[in-house]
Amino acid sequence: MAALDGLPPLRDVIQRHGLDAKKALGQNFLLDLNLTQKIARTAGPVEGHTVIEVGPGPGGLTRAILALGAKRVIAIERDARCLPALAEISEHYPGRLTVIEGDALKTDFEALAPGEPVRIIANLPYNVGTQLLVNWLLPKAWPPFWDTLTLMFQREVGLRIVAEENDDHYGRLGVLAGWRSHARMAFDVPPQAFTPPPKVTSSVVHLEPVANPLPCDVAALERVTHAAFGQRRKMLRQSVKSLGGEALLARAEIDPQRRAETLSVEEFVRLANAL
């Protein structure tokens, strides 16, 4: 990458700016620039697109996205220590990198690039990744503001996102992702690719929005999945008792003796609509 974009190696950037990864911010810096390019390519062609990145850190993935021809990258970074390193990238790619210092959980993403095709590509901080994904999957207006999501999670979380019924990893996250997106595991990333190395393997997950998801109230779907998987080892008549129990299941035409992990996304939608 250094030869490709003329910028210094990431290790040098991190050392020069004193950027030790902070556990409190869920940081693990990705230094393998071949991998950052692979992540960026997984999103599909980025030429002519605006890309939103969360938690760029020293900018390894940012550089890959820009080198592949993105029209503009909007990067949300909470750690002020990373801003000087990102400013150097911005100077190298004039007018193509906008860095916003702030908390991604408090960011209005839809307002960042209104009316433009947006791809979100991010090595998400471990401590906020799942909540950000849920926020992007559950806006009231659909289709969403994003074209694709290409995101890195702990592998365990990635498996939950792509899981279907009768899978040990299937739960609320699999239902929400399966309802409104086509999600797939792209590839795994070993711990040694990061600084510091996390204790677990990571995975890149790619999601594309379903054009016409089954009609369903978002809040109702959240309620039934929360109840059903909150007591996943119990029969549904017990786990959804607080929502109407057997009467609710009868309206949805679902056997009360089944368990949550056996229900398809379509059946969860029926349950939410019956609520």
Side-chain angles (χ1 to χ4, degrees):
M1 173 76 80
L4 180 67
D5 66 10
L7 286 163
L10 272 177
R11 285 192 188 278
D12 294 357
V13 172
I14 288 170
Q15 190 172 11
R16 185 157 41 87
H17 292 286
L19 297 177
D20 55 309
K22 283 191 175 180
K23 191 173 182 180
L25 296 176
Q27 289 176 329
N28 295 90
F29 297 148
L30 190 58
L31 299 190
D32 186 329
L33 294 174
N34 290 319
L35 263 175
T36 58
Q37 286 216 353
K38 188 176 180 181
I39 295 167
R41 286 197 187 98
T42 299
V46 295
E47 295 92 337
H49 280 77
T50 293
V51 173
I52 295 175
E53 183 186 5
V54 174
L61 183 54
T62 317
R63 285 166 58 173
I65 297 165
L66 288 164
L68 288 172
K71 180 176 74 172
R72 184 164 63 120
V73 174
I74 302 171
I76 318 296
E77 179 54 66
R78 187 178 173 188
D79 187 353
R81 301 175 308 148
C82 296
L83 300 183
L86 295 169
E88 292 173 4
I89 301 171
S90 182
E91 190 176 326
H92 190 77
Y93 290 99
R96 291 174 59 198
L97 174 61
T98 301
V99 180
I100 298 171
E101 183 183 1
D103 185 343
L105 288 175
K106 298 175 182 175
T107 299
D108 182 357
F109 285 91
E110 296 189 42
L112 294 179
E116 294 185 51
V118 167
R119 299 197 165 178
I120 300 179
I121 308 174
N123 168 21
L124 292 174
Y126 280 167
N127 54 358
V128 298
T130 303
Q131 187 56 56
L132 283 170
L133 173 62
V134 170
N135 292 350
W136 291 328
L137 285 171
L138 297 185
K140 288 185 178 176
W142 198 266
F145 70 96
W146 48 270
D147 283 355
T148 62
L149 305 174
T150 305
L151 310 171
M152 193 184 309
F153 299 92
Q154 295 181 43
R155 189 168 193 273
E156 180 73 19
V157 177
L159 289 170
R160 283 164 46 205
I161 294 166
V162 304
E164 298 180 350
E165 67 268 27
N166 298 312
D167 182 317
D168 287 344
H169 293 94
Y170 186 58
R172 174 173 170 263
L173 204 51
V175 174
L176 299 180
W179 173 47
R180 275 190 161 174
S181 77
H182 301 292
R184 66 177 175 87
M185 294 278 268
F187 58 91
D188 292 338
V189 180
Q192 58 268 30
F194 298 88
T195 297
K199 294 178 181 177
V200 295
T201 297
S202 301
S203 294
V204 174
V205 181
H206 182 73
L207 302 97
E208 298 183 5
V210 170
N212 296 297
L214 294 167
C216 182
D217 177 71
V218 168
L221 187 61
E222 285 200 281
R223 286 179 68 196
V224 296
T225 53
H226 187 269
F229 288 108
Q231 303 180 69
R232 63 184 298 143
R233 295 302 168 210
K234 294 189 177 180
M235 292 181 186
L236 284 165
R237 66 185 178 197
Q238 182 63 36
S239 60
V240 300
K241 198 171 184 179
S242 63
L243 301 180
E246 295 205 29
L248 171 68
L249 292 161
R251 289 198 299 276
E253 300 180 344
I254 291 171
D255 182 348
Q257 297 191 61
R258 291 174 65 186
R259 289 178 170 79
E261 66 264 26
T262 71
L263 265 62
S264 66
V265 171
E266 181 185 3
E267 287 173 312
F268 270 109
V269 168
R270 284 212 321 258
L271 201 56
N273 289 335
L275 185 66

